[in-house]
């Protein structure tokens, strides 16, 4: 009975306790529910929103962020042949990977901030001390204790997404929002510095990092700070300072794959700093960490570039290293990496001093390359540099041309190899021609039996090449067959469901002109065939003036037209390079013997193919010597001026002087030898060439210049003296004092034979001869001017005069003015006697006003930004004349650029347009310095054919009153330009609006100028 009573009591007590806890729980829940609003700032609301943020929204966003980072790690593909970035997101091809996950992380972060941010100030508790710490807490702008994690997550996701400006804005806002919380602001600033560094804003990054360091950096953020500061130093190329921070980053890195990347980067930095021993060790640590195979392979290859001094001295060590690499070439998994393996083999032989074997291995790497990417580009770059240093310029040219098409323009050596490639494009045709002619002349010096031995050797080489090509073709067929069988088996095999990470297109399969590497490769192929040429008409011609000088005959005027139609015989075809059995890459076929064109029809295995090219006759030997001497001269000039390789320049020019004493430009060779040897302080040798030049070629302009006792003074002050002389000469010419012009021109010829005004002196001298009635001398001197100075500004005028004579026009005495561009008439018309005698009625300006007119803005060529001018005028037209459309077009002639504005019905409309245009203050300022011309279409045609702008200006001032009377204002108010706006049909407001299709507004009937 007692037990029952006790049991009942226990039960009642238990029920009471449960009821009490139930009531308490309900009370807590009620308290939380009533206090969860962000408009209240209590301990309960802060706890509730922090917990909800952490375990609900933030958790999902953080999981998405980690998934995106994993996708970046798995899909990142580094370019191991160049400096890899510290962060995978630094690779352009990686940007965009995992963007879906990062977008989700950003979305969740934004939701957490929008829903759980507490900005309301809390009520101060009664009796609580107003301490400094409490003041700082009350001064906060965000009271959710966990919400800064959501802010940081959003910034990190934006950074990993590749949206660095947006991430920088987020971190900058975090630093301002959480002022007074040093740990949060320091972390935000560290990430802000990473964003700035990634964007290349190094000054801003350094400023932020200094502020972080000055604000007593928390010790927990020291590794992050060191990593970011190292990233900044790498971006600034302060590699030596970055090494301690890289070591700290590696020490604190927990991700094994990223640690291997960082060791690889450390090795690259050591290698860049010329510390091969430490670089070798760093690459070795990469290998020990068992990274992905491609990273391991590249680390081994990099080790071959960083052999410490004495590492490969012994033959046994060389054999051990090379045997390991050759075994790798036989593995199927390395079939796509053969170029890199042979590159490593070449590096080993190069480190051992065996350059011949190194070049063989590099050549094998080029031949075996299957990917054609940056790895092959680095291989070609290394091969090109080695051949350049050894003087094997033909091979260097090919290697550099390929490297340019495979490397990014940001590569450190891109600019240098581009310059070298341009030089080799000029040099190789001459060096190949010299090598060919030396070989041919050597064979010509042998007896027939010895000659046939060489030819038989060449034929045997051709046969071996053909057999090797057949063998390789059969191997390629077998490989293709095996691959097709494997592909067929794979297609027939049951498909297993796989989960793959989405990949981001890299642009390799994009349209040709969007792929920068494909475009560069196409340019390289063109340059390999044609050399480097400017984008211009008649790009195959050496002299690109408007007149064909080779056909010009100034003496016989009756047969001038026949001379234009005469044909110049040309030569074509490349000859075989007998010394090597290969064809020369000569782009100027005019240097090759004309009698070699028939060799193309003969098989290379026929001895006659080679015998026909050997100069066995006097005529053939003379042609060979001409090619040889021309090649030596041009090689010497390129070695001296473009490459500054004075030893090779001296050898080429010295051989030219010794072997070809009758060469036409021997005085130029002597002069350049004098300058070159004087530059390297070989004064005695330079003076010998100077004396020989003066004694052998006393009439040469170079000899006269060196023989002048004032040579040293003129070398210093000659430019100013010549300027003064030319200004005086032109003044005498304009005054009609032609005798003084001739005297000054002859003085210039003797005193300043290489002055910058020499072409203008020649032109003035020629025109003075015309004034004296000597047309033959005038034309002869103009021809000489065009030949010697094809690029000079005065040459265009001279060439047009010669062209006019070729077309059958006759010369007459008269004034030719070329000082002011506005007084220049058509250059062709200067050679037409009808212009001098006076125009007939069909060749005079008309004063008709009721005819289509043009408004022209004329200016000196090269002094106006035409794109900006077009924009300004088009913008003004669109904003000022809503109905009238104007056609805008550019033309250039006689050194004058013109913006032609057409579609004016009459003179009144054109004049009204001019007044309105210059009444606009902005346009009046922008158009200052230009000449405004109102002209009818008929008069404009005459201006182009017969007259100068000054001629028309005089006619306009005489015929048209620029300030019409009030009576004349009415018909020329320009109403047809803007009044039609008032006569448009009324708008039907009940009609549905048309959708804006987004098309741009067209100005004029043709081109859209906006």
């Amino acid at each position: 009975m007692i037990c029952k009573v006790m049991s009942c009591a226990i039960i009642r007590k238990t029920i009471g306790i449960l009821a009490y806890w139930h009531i308490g729980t309900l009370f807590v829940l009620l308290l939380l529910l009533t206090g969860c609003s962000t408009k209240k700032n209590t301990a309960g609301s802060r706890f509730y929103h922090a917990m909800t943020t952490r375990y609900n929204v933030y958790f999902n966003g953080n999981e998405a962020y980690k998934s995106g980072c994993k996708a970046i790690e798995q899909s990142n593909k580094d370019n191991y042949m160049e400096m890899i970035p510290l962060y995978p997101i630094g690779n352009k091809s990686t940007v965009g990977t995992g963007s879906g996950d990062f977008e989700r992380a950003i979305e969740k972060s934004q939701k957490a901030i929008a829903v759980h941010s507490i900005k309301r100030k809390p009520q101060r508790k009664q009796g609580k001390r107003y301490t400094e710490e409490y003041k700082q807490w009350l001064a906060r702008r965000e009271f959710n204790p966990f919400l800064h994690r959501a802010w940081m997550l959003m910034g990190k996701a934006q950074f990993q997404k590749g949206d660095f400006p947006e991430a920088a804005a987020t971190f900058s806002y975090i630093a301002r929002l959480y002022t007074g919380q040093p740990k949060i602001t320091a972390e935000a600033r560290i990430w802000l510095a990473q964003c700035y560094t990634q964007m290349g804003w190094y000054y801003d990054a350094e400023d932020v990092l200094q502020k972080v360091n000055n604000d007593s950096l928390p010790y927990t953020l020291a590794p992050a700070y060191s990593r970011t500061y190292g990233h900044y130093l790498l971006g600034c190329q302060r590699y030596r300072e970055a090494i301690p921070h890289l070591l700290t980053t590696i020490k604190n890195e927990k991700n094994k794959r990223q640690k291997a990347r960082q060791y690889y980067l450390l090795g690259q930095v050591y290698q860049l700093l010329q510390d091969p021993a430490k670089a070798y060790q760093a690459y070795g640590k990469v290998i020990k960490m068992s990274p992905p195979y491609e990273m391991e392979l590249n680390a081994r290859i990099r080790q071959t570039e960083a052999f410490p001094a004495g590492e490969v001295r012994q033959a046994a060590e060389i054999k051990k290293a090379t045997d390991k690499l050759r075994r790798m070439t036989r593995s199927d998994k390395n079939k796509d990496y053969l170029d890199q393996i042979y590159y490593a083999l070449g590096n080993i032989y190069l480190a051992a001093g065996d350059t011949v074997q190194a070049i063989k291995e590099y050549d094998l790497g080029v031949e075996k390359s299957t990917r054609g990417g940056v790895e092959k580009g680095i291989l070609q770059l290394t091969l090109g540099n080695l051949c350049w240093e050894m003087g094997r310029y033909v091979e260097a040219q090919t290697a550099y041309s390929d490297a340019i098409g495979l490397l990014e323009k940001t590569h450190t050596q891109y600019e240098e190899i581009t310059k070298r490639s341009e030089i080799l494009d000029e040099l190789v045709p001459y060096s190949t021609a010299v090598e060919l002619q030396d070989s041919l002349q050597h064979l010509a010096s042998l007896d027939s039996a010895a000659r046939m031995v060489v030819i038989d050797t060449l034929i045997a080489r051709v046969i071996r090449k053909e057999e090797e090509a057949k063998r390789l073709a059969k191997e390629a067929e077998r490989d293709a067959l095996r691959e097709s069988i494997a592909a067929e088996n794979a297609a027939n095999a049951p498909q297993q469901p796989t989960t793959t990470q989405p990949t981001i297109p890299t642009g390799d399969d994009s349209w040709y002109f969007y792929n920068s590497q494909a475009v560069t490769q196409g340019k390289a192929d063109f340059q390999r065939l044609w050399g480097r040429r400017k984008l211009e008409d008649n790009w195959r011609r050496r002299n690109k003036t408007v007149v064909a000088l080779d056909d010009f005959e100034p003496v016989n005027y009756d047969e001038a037209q026949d001379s234009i139609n005469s044909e110049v015989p040309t030569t074509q075809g490349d000859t075989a390079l007998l010394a090597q059995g290969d064809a020369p890459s000569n782009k100027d076929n005019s240097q090759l013997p004309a009698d070699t064109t028939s060799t193309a029809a003969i098989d290379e295995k026929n001895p006659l193919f080679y015998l026909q090219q050997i100069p066995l006759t006097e005529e053939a030997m003379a042609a060979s010597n001409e090619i040889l001497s021309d090649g030596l001269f041009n090689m010497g000039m390129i070695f001296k001026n473009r490459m500054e390789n004075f030893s090779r320049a001296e050898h080429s020019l010295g051989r030219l002087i010794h072997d070809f004493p009758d060469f036409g430009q021997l005085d130029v060779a002597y002069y350049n030898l004098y300058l070159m040897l004087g530059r390297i302080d070989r004064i005695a040798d330079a003076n010998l060439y100077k004396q020989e030049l003066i004694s052998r070629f006393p009439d040469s302009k170079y000899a006269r210049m060196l023989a002048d006792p004032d040579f040293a003074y003129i070398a210093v002050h000659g430019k100013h003296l010549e300027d003064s002389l030319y200004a005086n000469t032109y003044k005498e010419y304009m005054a009609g004092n032609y005798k003084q012009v001739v005297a000054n021109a002859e003085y210039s010829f003797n005193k300043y034979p290489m002055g910058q005004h020499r072409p203008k002196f020649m032109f003035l001298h020629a025109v003075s001869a015309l004034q004296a009635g000597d047309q033959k001398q005038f034309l002869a001197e103009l021809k000489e001017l065009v030949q010697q100075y094809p690029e000079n500004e005065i040459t265009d005028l001279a060439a047009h005069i010669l062209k006019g004579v070729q077309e059958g026009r006759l010369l007459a005495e008269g004034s030719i003015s070329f000082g002011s561009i506005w007084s220049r008439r058509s250059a062709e018309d200067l050679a037409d006697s009808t212009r001098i005698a006076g125009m007939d009625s069909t060749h005079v300006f008309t004063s008709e006003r009721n005819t289509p007119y043009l408004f022209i803005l004329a200016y000196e060529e090269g002094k106006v930004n035409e794109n900006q001018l077009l924009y300004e005028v088009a913008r003004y037209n669109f904003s000022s004349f809503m109905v009238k459309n104007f056609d805008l077009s550019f033309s250039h002639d006689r050194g004058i650029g013109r913006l032609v504005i057409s579609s004016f019905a009459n003179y009144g409309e054109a004049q009204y347009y001019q007044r309105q245009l210059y009444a606009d203050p902005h346009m009046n300022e922008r158009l200052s310095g230009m000449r405004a011309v109102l002209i009818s279409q008929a008069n404009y045609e005459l201006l182009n054919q017969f007259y100068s702008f000054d001629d028309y200006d005089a006619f306009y001032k005489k015929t048209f009153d620029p300030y019409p009377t009030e009576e004349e204002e009415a018909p020329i108010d320009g109403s047809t330009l803007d009044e039609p706006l008032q006569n448009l049909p009324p708008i039907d407001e009940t009609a549905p609006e048309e959708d804006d299709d987004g098309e741009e507004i067209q100005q004029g009937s043709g081109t859209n100028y906006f």
Side-chain angles (χ1 to χ4, degrees), residues 762-927:
M762 293 176 67
F763 187 84
L764 289 174
H765 192 275
V767 174
S768 298
L770 178 64
Q771 305 307 321
D774 193 342
Q775 297 181 354
K776 179 179 178 181
Q777 182 181 352
F778 171 71
L779 294 173
E781 292 186 7
L782 288 189
K783 180 181 178 182
E784 182 182 2
L785 169 61
V786 174
Q787 288 175 326
Q788 292 186 11
Y789 304 96
E791 302 296 331
N792 192 271
E793 58 181 349
I794 201 63
T795 303
D796 183 65
L797 184 60
H800 276 86
I801 295 174
L802 291 174
K803 183 180 179 182
V805 174
Q806 286 181 330
E807 293 175 350
R809 299 185 180 187
L810 300 178
L811 290 167
E813 297 179 16
S815 175
I816 299 178
S817 176
F818 60 98
S820 169
I821 60 172
W822 307 108
S823 60
R824 292 182 186 175
R825 301 186 181 93
S826 172
E828 297 179 5
D829 187 58
L830 293 174
D832 196 338
S833 60
T834 60
R835 174 69 184 89
I836 306 299
M839 297 295 178
D840 57 29
S841 58
T842 61
H843 291 159
V844 294
F845 290 128
T846 175
S847 58
E848 177 62 37
R849 298 192 180 201
N850 193 21
T851 185
Y853 263 73
L854 309 172
F855 177 72
I856 299 174
L857 291 170
Y859 47 87
E860 186 175 350
E861 275 186 330
K863 294 190 176 182
V864 170
N865 185 333
E866 293 187 343
N867 290 331
Q868 184 67 25
L869 174 62
L870 183 65
Y871 167 77
E872 294 285 355
V873 175
R875 181 193 59 80
Y876 170 79
N877 290 346
F878 177 73
S879 60
S880 301
F881 303 97
M882 299 297 184
V883 175
K884 185 70 173 181
N885 290 330
F886 300 98
D887 289 333
L888 308 179
S889 62
F890 284 104
S891 66
H892 303 84
D893 186 27
R894 297 173 246 171
I896 300 174
R898 314 168 192 179
L899 175 59
V900 181
I901 307 171
S902 54
S903 300
F904 297 105
N906 50 49
Y907 172 77
E909 282 193 1
Q911 190 184 49
Y912 177 80
Y913 176 87
Q914 179 187 21
R915 290 180 179 178
Q916 295 297 108
L917 179 67
Y918 281 92
D920 186 301
H922 173 74
M923 294 303 296
N924 188 27
E925 179 183 356
R926 300 291 295 179
L927 301 179

Side-chain angles (χ1 to χ4, degrees), residues 31 58 65 128 154 195 247 263 354 522 562 646 659 708 768 811 860 873 886 933 948:
L31 178 65
Y58 175 82
Y65 174 77
K128 188 172 180 65
M154 182 166 68
C195 296
L247 292 172
Y263 268 123
D354 190 349
D562 294 337
F646 298 137
D659 294 348
D708 192 334
S768 298
L811 290 167
E860 186 175 350
V873 175
F886 300 98
V933 181
S948 70

Side-chain angles (χ1 to χ4, degrees), residues 945-961:
Q945 296 182 37
F946 304 107
Y947 294 95
S948 70
F949 274 82
D950 282 347
D951 292 334
Y952 180 75
D953 187 58
F955 165 78
Y956 182 86
K957 290 179 179 178
K958 180 180 179 181
T959 307
F960 295 90
D961 184 4

Side-chain angles (χ1 to χ4, degrees), residues 10 72 89 129 253 349 378 450 492 502 654 764 766 829 952 993:
I10 292 171
I72 286 180
I89 197 63
R129 294 181 61 186
E253 182 60 60
Y349 285 113
I378 296 295
N492 294 331
L764 289 174
D829 187 58
Y952 180 75
E993 294 184 1

Side-chain angles (χ1 to χ4, degrees), residues 115-130:
V115 175
H116 299 292
S117 176
I118 302 176
K119 296 185 181 300
R120 184 181 182 86
K121 299 289 183 181
Q123 292 183 357
R124 183 182 174 184
K125 294 182 179 180
Q126 292 290 339
K128 188 172 180 65
R129 294 181 61 186
Y130 206 59

